[in-house]
Amino acid sequence: MNTHNNNTTFGFWVYLMSDCVLFAALFATYAVLQTQTFGGPGASELFDLNFVLTETLILLTSSFTVGLATIFSLEHKKRATLVALATTFILGLSFVGMEVFEFTHLIAEGSGPSANAFLSSFFVLVGTHGAHVTAGLIWMFVVMLHVMRGSVGNKLYTLSLFWHFLDIVWIFIFTFVYLFGALAL
Amino acid sequence: MLGKLDLSAFIHGPIETVAQLSVVFGVVVVVGLLSYYKAWGWLWREYLTSLDAKKIGIMYIALSFVMLARGAVDAFMMRTQQAIEVGANSGFLSPDHYAQVFTAHGVIMIFFVAMPFMFGLINLIVPLQIGAKDVAYPFLNSMSFWLTVVGAVLINLSLVVGEFAATGWLAYPPLSELQFSPGVGVDYYIWALQIAGVGTLISGINFLVTITTMRLKDMSWMKMPIFVWTVFGAMILVIFAFPILTGTLGLLSLDRIAGFHFFTTDLGGSAMMYVNLIWAWGHPEVYILILPAFGIFSEIVPTFSQKRLFGYTSMVVATLAIVFLSFIVWVHHFFTMGAGADVNAFFGIMTMAIAIPTGVKVFNWLFTMFRGRILFKTPMLWFMGFLTTFVLGGATGVLLAVPGADFQLHNSLFLVAHFHNMIIGGVLFGFFAGFVYWFPKIFGFMLNERLGVYAFWCWIVGFVLAFIPLYILGLMGMTRRLYEVSPQFHPLLVVAGVGAAVIALGMFFQVLQLVVSIWQRKENPAGDNPWNGTHLEWQTSSPPPFDPERSNDGVMVGILAGLFGFAMIWQIWWLAVIGLVGVLAVLIARSFQHHEHS
Amino acid sequence: MDFLKGILHPQGLVAHSELTLMIQATALMLVVLVPVYILIFFFAWYYRAGNTKAKYVPNWQHAKLDELVWWAIPFEIILVLGALTWTSTHQLDPKQPLAISGEPMIVEVVALPWKWLFIYPKEHIATVNYVAFPKDRPIQFQITADAPMNSFWIPELGGQIYAMTGMVTHLTLASDKEGSYQGMSANYSGEGFADMKFKAQSMSEDEFDLWVTEMHAQSHYLEKGAYQTLAKPGTSTVMYYSEISPTLFDDIVRKFNHAR
């Protein structure tokens, strides 16, 4: 059973590596296409840095709370684990909510993904991350059920790996897309 | 309600209707036979739901053989068209149908013949060779297989409902964009590859973990058989390359479905971006296929030379060097796109550098034969066929890697001859060799040697007849993908057509060999070690013990993913949601079951 | 002799250099290929199981020196080939001017579905599926597209380059003999691809001037409307235009690329 758990963890690391490659491809696409605004507004005109900074803080906090959940789970504190997970869930949901708000706002302004190649690549890069977070939320819900049943095993550990990974990807998105975009670098 | 799907999707021209009916007929015959012999229960329990890697391996190879027949029919249609199309005779294929045929041929041969054949052999042998009971994640293994099947089913379904892509096997935009390909053909292409590709990625992770963590205690890295090493290298390539394919196809489908502008001609899209991305996957893909073939030969040459493999360490180093180099050569597929001389020269030289480790492998095999006692059984014959053709293909490959030469040879039949040289002479011969070599281990009886020899000679003669003319035609200035050709090319195209017929005869002998061998299986028991092989797989019984573990969930995921793919192709959104949510539900439900396998 | 057509039958500087390069590279590779083929067949024959006189050393599996030798052999060859590649790639860079005298002539090329439009900006004329030029002068083809990706190729004059929307690629060719050469698209671009051929006619300077004069005598104007009809999918016969809209080529490029 022990080797099996190690296998799962190792396999999950390998999966994260392959996911990194996916994001690398999307980052490369964004880097190539970000100047292709075709006369439309560019990154510095479109993005509100304060809004994104709030999103970032929420996601970073959720990474901290999922870490707490892992620690509580190792100490077999079922209730504390659940509370930490629920907090993470709410934070993650707020993040996704804010992203959806940002997207709908942009689309309403006429800067949707079909406007030009720059916006296509922006929506897909950020949206793929958002889709990962959403998948993570579904998974988190399932893990919470497992915690209640006491059958969690190493599921919480792999989930937290995933969550931290998404955090790191987001830091890159925040830096390269929003920060450099706002500074017009 | 049914998206873009309506009755007109079922109505085709006369030639397409033949294809349509033969798919339907084939399905009816198989279903009928299984029902007549009341074999459904047996098939379901023993194979379809089995989690045993060897059973899954057998199914992969069966899938690959079925698709090989389909891909070969496509090839024969192309060769016939080009051979009879002369003067007033315009052949029997319309330009659009011809384009669908060459697109399907390429996609099928790479994704649904070579890949499943490779994963079949890996499933059969890698666990046995490292002394593992099974793979790291048996359920995911079953799921990967079923996702591959879904891809193959979707491609064949395109013969019945709708059409297939008419863009060439890599679907370059802007031709593959909605503007120029408004039908569902490209969508079949995208979703067949997308779903099969996810299966491949999961398999890649599965075998990487299996090889890393499940070897026998005293099998250190440098004691692993070379086949395991090459599979390890190929799986690293899968893990790094396939996400790029997933991403690229995803972007193309967003362009087509949601009006994004990644690769469109207007609003800033860049087709060159697609070409770069698809080859950043596509080049490693070629090495994903060839590395395990190298590994198979590294098993066969020592066995039949009755000698130990020469230069084990060199082989390992060469394998890893190829893994590394294969990621920095992709631009050689489009030297003619107008990049600067520095870029082209760099990628050209890196491409040639791959010839160094490959050359070392050839020398090591040669010096394994040196001072040996060589037995020319069929596996060794396939190796000889490989060596003599592959060295030529390697040389033409190096020639194509020189940008100045490639400006003239690119997109010509010279290029077509080169990559068939590598993929038939290299990959396919390698997998055939592995198949005959390990068949007795898995099934417990020998394959008929004489028919195997016939098949081999037909293949090698057919190969030379079919592809040497293409090299010459390329030098004469003939481009690829032509449904009608200038008269001066005609004589050599007829020779190539004859070559294709000889290959067909070889395939006939292979089918006959299987039938006769199964018929006479009682007379030809294999014993545990018929070839005097030295690696672990020969230490167990033939056939080895099978694991009775099974699960219906792999098939379930396959069916739901198939519905999802079909719905995405025809834009039937409610069905797509059902398919996707269904897959999630099966996987979540699994996490609540108590079981040993994950 | 049909075999001598095409790449093996170069009619201009670029095609000549490219063929020479192929021959040099092939010769270098033969240095390894010939001994390897001899070894393959000799070892297979001599060390066959039936030949009990041949030496048999079942446990020989490692020899540092030998292995070093066959890492070194391909390495050396690739080193030489690499040097050849580096210099030849820079020499044959399609953007580079050719090493022949004569004032370069510019021809703008547009790949349309499924025909080739040639615009002569200085002469103010245009042709479809036919391109004429004087021999012994560098011809600078500036290539774009209003179609899926194609590749511009005249095997007897030299190697190809892609034609893409919103981009201009460059290819400089020259012919040293008068004659008519087959040009084509080498990259699949849809149903009419097989018919996307053109004739490249090399003539003397005088003949070319005469041809231009004759062209001007006709009165086919390639204005916007005529271009839009021409750009519709479909194959085409040879066509001539005695006058063109001067910004036509730039308009076609800019249609897909505002930045230019």
Side-chain angles (χ1 to χ4, degrees):
Chain A
M1 197 62 206
N2 197 21
T3 57
H4 180 226
N5 280 349
N6 288 339
N7 267 352
T8 308
T9 312
F10 177 58
F12 198 74
W13 274 105
V14 180
Y15 155 73
L16 288 182
M17 212 152 63
S18 76
D19 224 11
C20 265
V21 179
L22 175 70
F23 277 107
L26 296 180
F27 267 108
T29 311
Y30 180 78
V32 169
L33 297 178
Q34 62 175 336
T35 55
Q36 301 292 329
T37 56
F38 229 72
S44 57
E45 296 145 78
L46 284 177
F47 304 140
D48 177 358
L49 213 51
N50 289 332
F51 185 84
V52 185
L53 199 61
T54 317
E55 268 182 287
T56 308
L57 289 176
I58 288 176
L59 200 64
L60 285 178
T61 317
S62 79
S63 234
F64 173 69
T65 52
V66 87
L68 283 182
T70 325
I71 295 170
F72 290 142
S73 163
L74 284 177
E75 291 167 358
H76 300 289
K77 292 177 183 161
K78 196 163 165 180
R79 174 166 303 192
T81 312
L82 279 173
V83 170
L85 272 179
T87 317
T88 315
F89 190 89
I90 291 164
L91 289 169
L93 201 62
S94 333
F95 173 86
V96 174
M98 284 183 80
E99 196 167 300
V100 170
F101 176 79
E102 188 199 12
F103 278 12
T104 46
H105 184 68
L106 282 172
I107 293 169
E109 273 183 341
S111 294
S114 344
N116 55 47
F118 153 64
L119 283 164
S120 296
S121 62
F122 163 77
F123 271 88
V124 167
L125 174 57
V126 178
T128 305
H129 177 266
H132 274 73
V133 177
T134 312
L137 288 176
I138 297 172
W139 185 8
M140 198 176 293
F141 180 75
V142 174
V143 168
M144 281 159 81
L145 295 181
H146 277 292
V147 174
M148 282 181 216
R149 284 166 45 117
S151 64
V152 65
N154 61 349
K155 290 184 183 75
L156 181 52
Y157 181 69
T158 39
L159 172 69
S160 75
L161 273 183
F162 186 64
W163 205 255
H164 293 313
F165 165 75
L166 292 180
D167 222 29
I168 293 166
V169 173
W170 179 257
I171 299 289
F172 276 91
I173 292 179
F174 176 72
T175 314
F176 288 107
V177 177
Y178 291 105
L179 205 57
F180 286 10
L183 300 171
L185 278 173
Chain B
M1 184 69 185
L2 288 177
K4 292 163 84 176
L5 184 61
D6 58 33
L7 271 182
S8 67
F10 295 87
I11 297 156
H12 302 300
I15 307 275
E16 289 97 325
T17 308
V18 174
Q20 185 181 28
L21 292 180
S22 34
V23 172
V24 174
F25 179 72
V27 171
V28 169
V29 167
V30 171
V31 170
L33 281 176
L34 284 170
S35 310
Y36 180 79
Y37 288 106
K38 297 193 172 62
W40 280 109
W42 164 81
L43 190 68
W44 181 262
R45 281 188 310 274
E46 293 293 315
Y47 281 93
L48 305 188
T49 59
S50 173
L51 295 185
D52 182 289
K54 294 178 289 298
K55 292 271 176 76
I56 292 173
I58 292 167
M59 290 193 290
Y60 263 120
I61 293 177
L63 172 71
S64 133
F65 282 3
V66 170
M67 294 308 281
L68 177 62
R70 160 85 205 273
V73 168
D74 288 334
F76 299 143
M77 283 166 79
M78 285 186 281
R79 287 273 64 93
T80 310
Q81 168 74 17
Q82 287 194 335
I84 64 171
E85 189 282 319
V86 62
N89 187 347
S90 62
F92 69 115
L93 294 176
S94 67
D96 180 64
H97 191 196
Y98 187 78
Q100 288 188 41
V101 169
F102 67 66
T103 306
H105 171 76
V107 172
I108 286 173
M109 288 305 195
I110 297 286
F111 285 93
F112 300 106
V113 177
M115 291 298 278
F117 206 159
M118 175 186 88
F119 274 116
L121 292 170
I122 292 175
N123 265 295
L124 291 181
I125 298 307
V126 166
L128 287 179
Q129 271 196 341
I130 62 173
K133 183 166 159 278
D134 208 313
V135 297
Y137 317 115
F139 167 69
L140 290 182
N141 198 22
S142 161
M143 195 173 97
S144 289
F145 168 72
W146 284 106
L147 293 178
T148 311
V149 172
V150 168
V153 167
L154 284 177
I155 282 204
N156 286 319
L157 197 61
S158 76
L159 287 178
V160 183
V161 196
E163 56 179 358
F164 195 62
T167 54
W169 79 284
L170 284 181
Y172 274 18
L175 184 61
S176 56
E177 291 283 358
L178 214 51
Q179 186 190 356
F180 299 105
S181 300
V184 291
V186 177
D187 303 298
Y188 266 112
Y189 170 90
I190 290 173
W191 292 102
L193 297 199
Q194 198 67 294
I195 292 171
V198 170
T200 303
L201 181 59
I202 296 172
S203 287
I205 297 172
N206 208 340
F207 281 97
L208 188 90
V209 175
T210 306
I211 293 172
T212 310
T213 61
M214 294 175 71
R215 281 171 285 134
L216 282 184
K217 272 212 180 66
D218 51 356
M219 185 183 281
S220 62
W221 284 99
M222 291 310 276
K223 282 183 184 162
M224 278 179 357
I226 292 292
F227 178 61
V228 178
W229 263 114
T230 54
V231 170
F232 182 75
M235 295 306 116
I236 292 177
L237 290 177
V238 166
I239 289 157
F240 280 98
F242 268 76
I244 307 178
L245 178 72
T246 308
T248 312
L249 292 175
L251 302 184
L252 182 62
S253 64
L254 281 170
D255 273 5
R256 290 179 59 87
I257 294 176
F260 285 33
H261 291 283
F262 284 104
F263 316 121
T264 54
T265 53
D266 54 346
L267 292 170
S270 167
M272 292 194 294
M273 186 72 211
Y274 181 93
V275 175
N276 271 287
L277 284 171
I278 202 80
W279 282 115
W281 159 80
H283 199 84
E285 166 66 15
V286 185
Y287 287 92
I288 290 168
L289 295 174
I290 196 72
L291 280 175
F294 286 167
I296 290 167
F297 290 130
S298 302
E299 302 292 310
I300 284 171
V301 178
T303 303
F304 293 94
S305 301
Q306 312 194 60
K307 200 166 151 267
R308 300 183 61 170
L309 179 72
F310 186 85
Y312 175 91
T313 316
S314 285
M315 284 295 203
V316 174
V317 174
T319 304
L320 296 177
I322 293 174
V323 168
F324 173 73
L325 285 172
S326 67
F327 275 107
I328 45 174
V329 301
W330 79 92
V331 170
H332 73 216
H333 295 274
F334 45 92
F335 284 145
T336 55
M337 209 157 73
D342 289 343
V343 173
N344 279 353
F346 169 81
F347 281 96
I349 293 169
M350 285 304 128
T351 306
M352 292 170 190
I354 293 192
I356 301 171
T358 315
V360 169
K361 282 183 178 253
V362 169
F363 280 119
N364 280 342
W365 290 320
L366 271 177
F367 280 84
T368 304
M369 292 159 69
F370 175 70
R371 293 179 176 169
R373 282 264 188 274
I374 307 167
L375 298 161
F376 288 100
K377 299 285 186 188
T378 33
M380 192 63 189
L381 285 181
W382 285 115
F383 169 73
M384 292 305 296
F386 154 80
L387 202 56
T388 43
T389 52
F390 190 80
V391 171
L392 174 69
T396 57
V398 172
L399 190 58
L400 284 161
V402 184
D406 183 70
F407 290 158
Q408 282 283 48
L409 300 172
H410 185 56
N411 274 335
S412 75
L413 285 193
F414 190 93
L415 171 74
V416 174
H418 159 71
F419 67 69
H420 282 88
N421 202 159
M422 304 314 258
I423 289 186
I424 294 180
V427 175
L428 196 64
F429 284 11
F431 294 168
F432 282 156
F435 179 73
V436 262
Y437 181 59
W438 283 310
F439 184 93
K441 169 54 56 190
I442 299 303
F443 293 98
F445 59 93
M446 306 299 287
L447 281 172
N448 186 299
E449 181 73 12
R450 175 184 296 207
L451 288 168
V453 173
Y454 290 171
F456 165 76
W457 283 109
C458 286
W459 265 98
I460 190 96
V461 171
F463 169 79
V464 170
L465 283 177
F467 292 100
I468 299 299
L470 299 198
Y471 276 123
I472 303 168
L473 284 164
L475 291 172
M476 288 166 70
M478 181 174 168
T479 52
R480 63 200 291 203
R481 296 173 173 167
L482 293 171
Y483 85 102
E484 62 172 16
V485 289
S486 309
Q488 79 263 26
F489 302 136
H490 190 251
L492 283 172
L493 287 171
V494 173
V495 178
V498 172
V502 178
I503 290 179
L505 188 63
M507 294 172 75
F508 166 75
F509 279 125
Q510 284 173 308
V511 174
L512 195 65
Q513 181 194 31
L514 262 181
V515 172
V516 169
S517 308
I518 293 172
W519 192 260
Q520 301 174 336
R521 62 189 180 278
K522 295 262 161 53
E523 290 101 277
N524 300 302
D528 291 350
N529 191 356
W531 314 112
N532 285 321
T534 50
H535 286 141
L536 272 184
E537 77 270 29
W538 303 109
Q539 309 288 313
T540 176
S541 62
S542 305
F546 289 97
D547 187 350
E549 198 80 33
R550 49 181 230 90
S551 161
N552 300 344
D553 295 347
V555 185
M556 281 310 292
V557 169
I559 291 171
L560 290 161
L563 285 177
F564 169 72
F566 184 78
M568 289 305 287
I569 291 161
W570 292 97
Q571 310 197 348
I572 310 170
W573 306 123
W574 59 268
L575 187 60
V577 171
I578 290 180
L580 197 60
V581 172
V583 169
L584 267 182
V586 171
L587 295 181
I588 290 173
R590 267 194 78 75
S591 80
F592 286 96
Q593 290 162 15
H594 282 283
H595 46 73
E596 241 180 89
H597 297 302
S598 63
Chain C
M1 275 304 279
D2 286 340
F3 293 110
L4 292 178
K5 285 275 172 62
I7 299 169
L8 301 178
H9 189 234
Q11 301 294 319
L13 179 66
V14 177
H16 269 298
S17 324
E18 283 167 348
L19 181 63
T20 314
L21 177 62
M22 280 181 226
I23 293 169
Q24 286 168 341
T26 309
L28 271 172
M29 283 186 285
L30 283 177
V31 175
V32 201
L33 287 192
V34 172
V36 165
Y37 270 108
I38 293 174
L39 284 184
I40 292 174
F41 289 110
F42 176 71
F43 284 0
W45 166 77
Y46 189 73
Y47 295 107
R48 66 193 187 276
N51 183 7
T52 45
K53 276 186 282 178
K55 205 170 168 189
Y56 178 44
V57 194
N59 283 323
W60 188 65
Q61 54 164 337
H62 182 64
K64 261 206 181 100
L65 190 68
D66 305 39
E67 278 175 80
L68 204 66
V69 168
W70 47 83
W71 276 94
I73 296 172
F75 188 79
E76 305 269 314
I77 298 285
I78 296 302
L79 210 62
V80 180
L81 259 176
L84 180 68
T85 301
W86 186 264
T87 50
S88 69
T89 306
H90 284 82
Q91 233 162 38
L92 290 168
D93 183 359
K95 282 184 216 115
Q96 290 296 314
L98 291 190
I100 56 167
S101 56
E103 191 203 341
M105 174 181 152
I106 294 173
V107 179
E108 294 165 339
V109 184
V110 186
L112 299 175
W114 295 282
K115 67 215 85 153
W116 293 95
L117 171 64
F118 297 93
I119 301 170
Y120 304 68
K122 262 205 188 129
E123 290 78 8
H124 304 293
I125 54 172
T127 49
V128 171
N129 286 351
Y130 176 87
V131 59
F133 43 82
K135 79 175 175 101
D136 291 328
R137 247 175 86 178
I139 316 298
Q140 287 183 358
F141 292 103
Q142 303 187 347
I143 304 160
T144 191
D146 192 351
M149 190 190 284
N150 280 285
S151 192
F152 178 83
W153 191 28
I154 311 172
E156 279 154 341
L157 297 188
Q160 70 195 261
I161 198 134
Y162 284 159
M164 297 172 286
T165 52
M167 308 277 305
V168 179
T169 46
H170 302 266
L171 183 65
T172 310
L173 301 174
S175 74
D176 48 25
K177 271 198 212 80
E178 289 171 29
S180 159
Y181 310 113
Q182 176 84 75
M184 64 197 91
S185 169
N187 193 69
Y188 186 75
S189 55
E191 250 177 273
F193 163 74
D195 293 314
M196 216 171 147
K197 292 175 189 153
F198 61 93
K199 196 193 253 186
Q201 186 77 43
S202 167
M203 44 184 81
S204 72
E205 200 75 51
D206 294 342
E207 278 175 304
F208 179 72
D209 292 340
L210 190 69
W211 178 74
V212 173
T213 323
E214 274 172 16
M215 291 283 293
H216 281 298
Q218 303 176 10
S219 60
H220 292 294
Y221 182 33
L222 184 61
E223 32 67 61
K224 230 179 181 173
Y227 172 75
Q228 269 159 6
T229 318
L230 185 69
K232 284 202 183 113
T235 53
S236 169
T237 52
V238 173
M239 295 210 272
Y240 305 100
Y241 298 95
S242 52
E243 214 189 326
I244 48 160
S245 138
T247 56
L248 181 60
F249 187 77
D250 287 341
D251 290 344
I252 295 169
V253 177
R254 216 172 288 129
K255 185 169 139 192
F256 301 104
N257 191 348
H258 279 190
R260 279 187 69 91

